[in-house]
Structure formats: structure tokens, C-alpha cells
Amino acid sequence: MELGVKMIISTEECGYCGACVSVCPHNILELSEMEIIAHEGCEECAFCMVVCPLGAIKRGEK
Amino acid sequence: MKYDIVVVGGRIGGSTASIFASKNGADVLMLEKNQEIGTPVQCAEATSSRTFKTLEMEPSSKYVCSEIKGADVYAPDGTHGHLEGGYAEGFILERKLFDKHLAIEAAKSGADIMVKTMVKGLIRKEGKVCGVVAKHMGRTMEIEADIVIAADGIESRVAQMAGLNTSQTTKSLCSCAQYEMVGLKTDPDYLKFHFGEKIAPKGYAWIFPKGDNVANVGVGVRSNTENAYHFLKKFISNMDATPVELNIGGVPIRGPVEKTYTDGLMVVGDAAGQVEPFTGGGIHITAHCGRVAGEIAAEGIKKEKTTSNFLKKYEKRWKNEIGKDLKDSLKYRKILDKLTDDEINILAKFLKEQDLKSISKMSMLGFVKEYPQFLKLLKDLL
Ligand SMILES: Cc1cc2nc3c(=O)[nH]c(=O)nc-3n(C[C@H](O)[C@H](O)[C@H](O)COP(=O)(O)OP(=O)(O)OC[C@H]3O[C@@H](n4cnc5c(N)ncnc54)[C@H](O)[C@@H]3O)c2cc1C
Ligand code: SF4
Ligand code: SF4
């Protein structure tokens, strides 16, 4: 799933812990029971990528 | 639907608040987004007798796996210190069962509970929180309430919706990964902590025994280069044991958020940053603050006072009762953050030679004379 133009979250690698949600400065992430929901407005700061324990969020090469 | 109090989140903070609000006469609904309370576990499951005192419960073998007598702490070079009793004493829980038990207690106290129900928004009238908008299996519903308690954990959005700043940063959030492992030979009575930039940068690795050669083995890190799972795999690479569960999560370690109440809403637990910054322990603190929030909410309902002006009592009480502990813990965390591996090794060797209970001024002075870089640390501590 694409967050911003460059940020990509792998739903296969995600473990639904919510760490990324807590650091998003634009508050665009939301964790439902088994799905990360990304609303519009990602500024590609990559904070979510830094804290993800499983490395499920990556910066794509576009 | 209308309740006196809606509690968002159904684990330690949510159930504790629900228990004490219901016991004090309020009509409570607790909402949990997951279909099963207590899973997935995001915890190393260690706690102290304080948790049970707060909850007015006895530690029961129904949800306590093992009793802990102390801890072994390892500096980066392997220098080892042993802590017996006191602060290091406690229990290892089976959180799945413990959290479920607390929810059962909340229900027995009279609270209603809905699972698989996620709060998506707040109802606000003239700025005051007056309920929640929730989604249950595709169906959206409005639930009115005079007070909302946000106990929605690290992924909290509910308090933010009410205008409180509960967000974390990459520096304030410790990223954790843990395996529950079977067949690990470790002393069943003692926790193990390992420090070091290569083991767990800006955090630590742990082994918490659950009895019967089962243990929680995990790491908490703050690293811009590698993720927690990478360090976990490295830490267990020489262990002859089999994982049966993977737990991950983030621990807020900069102390409580600026403000924990607003008109019609209080925030408790991880969502409010109510975790000991030095250890990352949040169970006993969350239970404490959950209880205070539950009691204040019930009192507010009785007195028909549910605005900021009354709910500020919640913040005043938890600050009075545990605020200093959290501040001290943050101070120690900040000191540890500044130390290099070499400095931790030197400090560990010095402390190992001392009787920690009667550490003398003379020996401290001698130490600082030899290693003047610790002078500032000593000043910070005293
Ligand atoms: C890896 C790890 C190890 C830890 N080890 C320890 C330890 O050994 N000892 C210790 O004391 N502490 C430990 N902690 C900290 C401890 O787990 C937490 O402090 C504690 O669980 C906080 O409880 P809580 O009720 O505030 O939040 P949580 O336990 O996170 O519960 C929040 C609940 O709210 C639900 N929720 C969230 N959003 C919504 C919504 N919108 N609608 C409905 N429901 C929602 C979630 O599904 C969840 O069930 C650890 C944490 C981690 C991550
Ligand atoms: S990159 Fe930044 S703005 Fe985008 S989702 Fe991640 S934390 Fe939010
Ligand atoms: S931090 Fe990583 S594992 Fe956790 S919810 Fe976000 S993407 Fe998933």
C-alpha cells in the first residue's frame, strides 16, 4: 500500500502494532483490527519507517 | 445509545478504569476494536506487586506464570551485576489471560463491553466531548456519553481528536520485538537485562523467564539504521530454543504527555505516555492511572461535573501519587542515553565492587577523581 508518493507499507510484513501511528506528525495513519489505514497527507518524513519494529515500511525508488 | 462513561480500549487501562467507574456507580460501556481482548500481546509481561495492590486483587496462578526474585544485569563487555529483591522483584504474567481476566472483572462490576468495535470519531457539542462514533462490523453507531476515557494504547487517536497532543517521536518511542521461546535454559527466578550499542542501541535486550524453560526474549531499540526485529534475530542467534510467538510494539519513554484531560475526556496508559521511561514498564502505572480516571469519572457523574474544570482532578491526583516516580525514571533514562558503551562498562565495574545499599561518599569521590567524565553524571543524579 502506498502512503505518500515514495513511502510504501508492506501489509504482508506488518504486525499490527501501531508504533507507526503514534509517530506520524500528520496523523494520517490508523490501525484497525488487522489493517493499517493511510489517509491522505503523507509528507514522507519516514518517521513511521524508523520506528517500525519489523521494517514493514520502506522508501520506494520512484 | 447513551452511557455515563464510554471507555475506549479494553486492556489494562480500559478494564481498570471500567472496573473502578462501575464499582462507584457509573453506567459504563467499554469498546475494544479487536475481536479478542488481550491479543495480539505487545508486552514482556513483567510487573510488580504494586499492580495487584492497585487492582485490589491477589496474584493468581490463573494468570501469573512465575515469580521473580531479582535481576541479572549485563554491561556491554559482559560485566555482570546482580540485583536481589526490592525493585527487581515481581511476577511474569500471561497477559492474554490477565487482560481477559480484568475485562471479566469489569463485566462483573457491571460494565457493558463491545468487542470488534472501533472508535472512529468523537461527538462534540460546543467543544465538549459528548460521546463517540464507533464502527462495529461495518455498522457505524453513535454512542453518547458524559465522559470518554481514552485507553487506546500507543496507536491512540482518540485523545488527539479531542485536541490533546499525545503523539510520539522517533526519539521518544522505543521500538520492540520479542519472541516467546521454548527450551531456553535460563534461571527461572531472575530477569536478565543486556545493554550495549551492538545488542540494543538506546535500549536493552531482555530475557524474562515464564517457567518450564519458556521465556520472553526481546529487544527494545531506538535506531535509525536497523529495525528491532534485526536486533532480535541477532540476539537469539546462539540460543538453542524455539519461538512460539512474535510480539512487537512501541513503548513511549519520554514521560507522560503534556495534558491528560479536556472537556469530557481523560486519557490513560500508553496513550498518555504513562510508562516508566527507564524500564519501559507500563503495566503498574497504567493500572494506577486507569483506577484514578475511573474513580474521578464516577465522581464527576454523581456530581454532574464533567468538564475540564472537574476532570483536572484526575491529572492532579496521578501527578501527586506517581508523578515523581515517573520524573526520576526519566532522569535516569536521560543519563543512561548519554553514556557510551565504555562508560557503562567502567560504571558497571565500579558498582560491582560496592555494596549498593551503603555506597560511601569516599568511594564515589575516588571514582570521580579517576574518571572525571562522570562528574556531571554524579551532579545530575544528586
Ligand atoms: C514489547 C513490549 C514489552 C513491554 N514489556 C512490559 C513489561 O514487561 N512490563 C510492563 O509493565 N510493561 C511493559 N510494556 C508496556 C505495557 O505493555 C503497556 O504500558 C500497557 O500494555 C499499556 O496498557 P494500555 O491499556 O494503556 O494500552 P494497550 O495495552 O495498548 O491497550 C490498548 C487497547 O485499545 C484498543 N484500541 C486502540 N484503538 C482503539 C479504538 N479506536 N477503538 C477501540 N479500541 C481501540 C487496542 O486494540 C488495545 O486492545 C511493554 C510494551 C511493549 C510494546
Ligand atoms: S512518512 Fe511521515 S507523514 Fe508519511 S505516513 Fe510516515 S510518518 Fe506519516
Ligand atoms: S509499525 Fe510496522 S508493524 Fe507496526 S503497525 Fe506500523 S507498519 Fe505495521
Side-chain angles (χ1 to χ4, degrees):
Chain A
M1 188 205 323
E2 284 178 15
L3 298 174
V5 183
K6 294 201 183 106
M7 303 305 296
I8 298 162
I9 180 164
S10 156
T11 44
E12 282 174 4
E13 287 168 85
C14 171
Y16 320 108
C17 74
C20 55
V21 180
S22 73
V23 296
C24 177
H26 303 286
N27 236 343
I28 68 153
L29 300 175
E30 194 179 357
L31 176 65
S32 75
E33 187 161 14
M34 282 222 170
E35 187 189 14
I36 280 281
I37 303 162
H39 301 281
E40 267 175 38
C42 172
E43 297 276 350
E44 293 161 13
C45 63
F47 291 175
C48 53
M49 181 174 94
V50 171
V51 300
C52 176
L54 296 178
I57 303 176
K58 292 176 186 78
R59 209 193 274 276
E61 297 300 326
K62 274 196 195 170
Chain B
M1 253 197 277
K2 165 95 180 69
Y3 282 84
D4 293 337
I5 299 165
V6 163
V7 177
V8 188
R11 292 200 198 166
I12 307 239
S15 286
T16 307
S18 299
I19 291 170
F20 286 94
S22 300
K23 275 189 180 166
N24 286 290
D27 197 12
V28 179
L29 172 66
M30 180 167 90
L31 303 173
E32 168 55 53
K33 75 171 185 217
N34 291 343
Q35 65 187 25
E36 187 175 14
I37 281 175
T39 62
V41 173
Q42 293 170 330
C43 191
E45 308 182 295
T47 199
S48 66
S49 55
R50 278 173 64 183
T51 299
F52 296 103
K53 236 176 253 157
T54 302
L55 293 166
E56 295 176 359
M57 274 165 50
E58 288 301 318
S60 149
S61 61
K62 270 193 214 161
Y63 41 75
V64 171
C65 298
S66 64
E67 283 191 34
I68 297 300
K69 293 183 183 149
D72 290 297
V73 183
Y74 297 86
D77 68 355
T79 302
H80 158 230
H82 182 79
L83 302 169
E84 190 68 39
Y87 189 74
E89 216 170 47
F91 305 89
I92 305 295
L93 302 166
E94 186 66 54
R95 274 283 306 263
K96 286 183 197 79
L97 301 178
F98 184 64
D99 290 16
K100 179 70 85 53
H101 178 80
L102 286 185
I104 291 170
E105 287 300 310
K108 281 185 185 164
S109 309
D112 285 345
I113 300 176
M114 282 178 75
V115 292
K116 219 171 171 61
T117 307
M118 182 171 182
V119 170
K120 302 286 273 184
L122 291 174
I123 306 171
R124 296 177 78 172
K125 283 179 199 149
E126 288 157 15
K128 184 189 175 293
V129 175
C130 299
V132 299
V133 180
K135 212 165 173 182
H136 173 72
M137 299 173 76
R139 194 160 57 89
T140 300
M141 55 183 91
E142 291 202 353
I143 307 164
E144 285 177 56
D146 295 317
I147 295 175
V148 172
I149 297 177
D152 48 345
I154 198 65
E155 79 255 39
S156 173
R157 291 170 55 88
V158 171
Q160 305 249 31
M161 292 172 198
L164 297 175
N165 180 10
T166 55
S167 66
Q168 298 294 328
T169 68
T170 51
K171 285 204 176 89
S172 73
L173 195 79
C174 201
S175 179
C176 305
Q178 165 183 282
Y179 273 133
E180 181 176 356
M181 300 192 75
V182 179
L184 189 72
K185 291 204 173 50
T186 185
D187 192 327
D189 298 328
Y190 295 93
L191 308 175
K192 282 199 177 100
F193 295 91
H194 293 261
F195 290 88
E197 205 51 32
K198 293 209 173 83
I199 300 169
K202 297 273 177 287
Y204 61 80
W206 65 82
I207 301 174
F208 290 179
K210 296 181 82 170
D212 210 13
N213 287 339
V214 177
N216 287 332
V217 182
V219 297
V221 301
R222 279 170 295 155
S223 162
N224 285 330
T225 49
E226 300 287 354
N227 57 61
Y229 187 56
H230 163 88
F231 288 101
L232 175 64
K233 281 190 294 189
K234 216 164 111 184
F235 187 59
I236 64 161
S237 59
N238 292 322
M239 288 179 188
D240 185 16
T242 306
V244 288
E245 189 168 318
L246 173 64
N247 307 126
I248 56 165
V251 180
I253 53 163
R254 69 162 163 211
V257 300
E258 186 83 21
K259 189 164 175 249
T260 54
Y261 65 93
T262 184
D263 279 327
L265 181 138
M266 291 175 276
V267 54
V268 307
D270 275 12
Q274 288 162 334
V275 173
E276 272 193 26
F278 188 69
T279 59
I283 298 172
H284 60 298
I285 307 282
T286 296
H288 193 113
C289 297
R291 175 171 179 169
V292 175
E295 287 174 352
I296 297 286
E299 191 188 334
I301 296 297
K302 258 185 213 151
K303 295 183 171 159
E304 294 182 18
K305 289 182 176 169
T306 58
T307 61
S308 268
N309 208 18
F310 182 81
L311 298 184
K312 71 176 177 221
K313 269 179 88 168
Y314 159 63
E315 189 164 290
K316 211 170 156 198
R317 234 186 93 188
W318 73 252
K319 275 194 176 162
N320 255 334
E321 290 165 4
I322 55 156
K324 185 166 181 310
D325 289 356
L326 293 179
K327 267 196 187 141
D328 287 347
S329 180
L330 180 62
K331 188 165 85 180
Y332 299 140
R333 205 268 288 155
K334 283 186 172 162
I335 289 172
L336 187 65
D337 269 1
K338 284 193 201 130
L339 298 180
T340 63
D341 275 8
D342 283 344
E343 287 169 340
I344 297 176
N345 292 334
I346 294 169
L347 202 61
K349 285 205 180 71
F350 166 70
L351 290 174
K352 201 177 156 73
E353 287 155 16
Q354 308 296 319
D355 176 1
L356 286 182
K357 283 190 192 101
S358 59
I359 200 161
S360 78
K361 268 200 188 129
M362 278 310 283
S363 64
M364 295 264 255
L365 284 175
F367 175 69
V368 176
K369 210 168 151 197
E370 201 175 330
Y371 301 104
Q373 71 262 44
F374 288 106
L375 191 64
K376 179 152 186 330
L377 180 147
L378 205 66
K379 275 192 193 143
D380 286 349
L381 268 179
L382 301 174

